[in-house]
Amino acid sequence: MIKKVKKAVFPVAGFGTRFLPATKAMPKELLPVVDKPLIQYAAEEAINAGIETLIFVTGRHKRAIEDHFDSNPELETALRLKGKIGQADMVHNILPKGIECVFVRQSEQLGLGHAILCAERVVGQEPFAVLLADDFLIPNDDGVLTNLVRAYEKSGNTQLSVMEINGPDIAKYGVVDPGQILGTVAGLIEKPKYEMAPSNLASIGRYILTHEIFDLLRTLKPGIGNEIQLAEAINLQAKNNQTQVDSVKLSGDWYDCGSVAGYMAAINAIYQNKMKKYD
């Protein structure tokens, strides 16, 4: 019987150096996209997909993320005393009832794969989602993670969200080596040279992984920067056929909020969407 996906991991220990000095004291995941921080959009996407436990892999400079998702009775009381009931309710309902937040410390930034390993004890033997808040998504349908969860619950296979990138920019991504059957993944190549890219399908920051990924991550030798990369473990998983790896094409718009240009584009897109609601 295929288990339900009820846990999600959010790797949020990075420094956000491309946004300095704004991120000197504030986590990049709390940078606002109009009226909500990046990490809240990702958390809401996970909750909408049926996730019940949010696992944040943080660093020692990321306490503000925990504070954002915690209750703030003093602020709520102050708002209600001023008659700002709507704002008080908004602060109170940052997360719906029944959603659990777990915070795990990554003592050193040793790559995305290492961040995932830090969450192993909380994840246990269950399938789980991974969401990178930098990958900001505006879906065309029920949601990117919802589509991945549905695909996993039909097959029990690892699921990657992918999008088409044509031209030399494909070299900036993990690139899918397609399997013989449409939608299957034979391998995942991290940032190949443009001429060597096995396809135009780039893996973006949404995954459904099975617990077998932890054993594979432990076998990897650290690479450049002494980092352990998730893409390498997924590549091994696909090639070893321990658990079949599938891909689901992105339905919606993607913005790289790890870059200033992508972040500003996301702000403009959300602003335009909000203005349409008022027209």
Side-chain angles (χ1 to χ4, degrees), residues 9 16 42 67 69 92 99 107 128 131 151 179 250 252 272 274 276:
V9 175
D67 290 341
F69 288 107
H92 182 75
I99 300 299
S107 57
F128 63 103
L131 297 92
L250 169 70
Q272 294 298 331
K274 286 183 177 292
K276 289 178 183 177

Side-chain angles (χ1 to χ4, degrees), residues 255-270:
Y255 300 89
D256 176 14
C257 284
S259 71
V260 174
Y263 173 64
M264 296 304 296
I267 291 174
N268 183 62
I270 291 295

Side-chain angles (χ1 to χ4, degrees), residues 134-190:
D134 284 356
D135 287 279
F136 187 84
L137 305 174
I138 301 177
N140 289 335
D141 50 21
D142 293 334
V144 175
L145 193 67
T146 295
N147 292 337
L148 290 179
V149 168
R150 288 172 179 166
Y152 170 80
E153 291 179 348
K154 288 180 180 178
S155 67
N157 298 335
T158 292
Q159 303 291 331
L160 310 181
S161 183
V162 299
M163 65 178 181
E164 293 185 1
I165 300 287
N166 296 306
D169 279 352
I170 192 69
K172 299 177 182 179
Y173 303 88
V175 181
V176 167
D177 182 6
Q180 294 183 353
I181 301 173
L182 183 65
T184 63
V185 176
L188 183 63
I189 313 304
E190 181 68 9

Side-chain angles (χ1 to χ4, degrees), residues 1-41:
M1 182 177 177
I2 298 173
K3 295 181 178 179
K4 295 285 187 180
V5 182
K6 294 298 182 183
K7 296 179 179 179
V9 175
F10 301 81
V12 292
F15 287 118
T17 53
R18 282 184 281 184
F19 287 90
L20 287 170
T23 52
K24 179 177 181 290
M26 180 180 70
K28 66 175 180 177
E29 294 81 9
L30 290 182
L31 290 172
V33 178
V34 182
D35 57 353
K36 286 189 290 191
L38 283 166
I39 191 62
Q40 188 171 335
Y41 284 98

Side-chain angles (χ1 to χ4, degrees), residues 46-221:
I47 293 165
N48 289 338
I51 300 298
E52 297 175 354
T53 302
L54 311 179
I55 306 164
F56 299 91
V57 181
T58 70
R60 62 181 179 274
H61 56 295
K62 297 298 184 87
R63 177 60 186 272
I65 295 175
E66 185 172 352
D67 290 341
H68 177 75
F69 288 107
D70 199 1
S71 61
N72 190 332
E74 294 84 359
L75 176 58
E76 289 180 40
T77 299
L79 289 170
R80 293 188 193 282
L81 287 173
K82 293 180 179 180
K84 298 180 179 181
I85 306 303
Q87 289 177 303
D89 290 342
M90 179 179 60
V91 170
H92 182 75
N93 296 317
I94 288 290
L95 291 175
K97 289 183 179 179
I99 300 299
E100 178 184 19
C101 291
V102 180
F103 295 86
V104 178
R105 179 68 64 90
Q106 184 183 20
S107 57
E108 294 182 83
Q109 293 182 36
L110 299 177
L112 178 57
H114 180 263
I116 301 303
L117 272 174
C118 291
E120 181 178 10
R121 289 188 180 182
V122 184
V123 171
Q125 298 293 304
E126 300 178 41
F128 63 103
V130 175
L131 297 92
L132 307 185
D134 284 356
D135 287 279
F136 187 84
L137 305 174
I138 301 177
N140 289 335
D141 50 21
D142 293 334
V144 175
L145 193 67
T146 295
N147 292 337
L148 290 179
V149 168
R150 288 172 179 166
Y152 170 80
E153 291 179 348
K154 288 180 180 178
S155 67
N157 298 335
T158 292
Q159 303 291 331
L160 310 181
S161 183
V162 299
M163 65 178 181
E164 293 185 1
I165 300 287
N166 296 306
D169 279 352
I170 192 69
K172 299 177 182 179
Y173 303 88
V175 181
V176 167
D177 182 6
Q180 294 183 353
I181 301 173
L182 183 65
T184 63
V185 176
L188 183 63
I189 313 304
E190 181 68 9
K191 297 181 180 179
K193 292 182 178 180
Y194 170 51
E195 300 79 8
M196 303 296 291
S199 74
N200 67 342
L201 296 177
S203 174
I204 61 171
R206 298 293 186 276
Y207 313 81
I208 302 294
L209 304 176
T210 59
H211 70 272
E212 288 89 357
I213 199 72
F214 296 119
D215 290 334
L216 290 169
L217 286 167
R218 275 190 289 272
T219 68
L220 295 178
K221 293 182 179 180

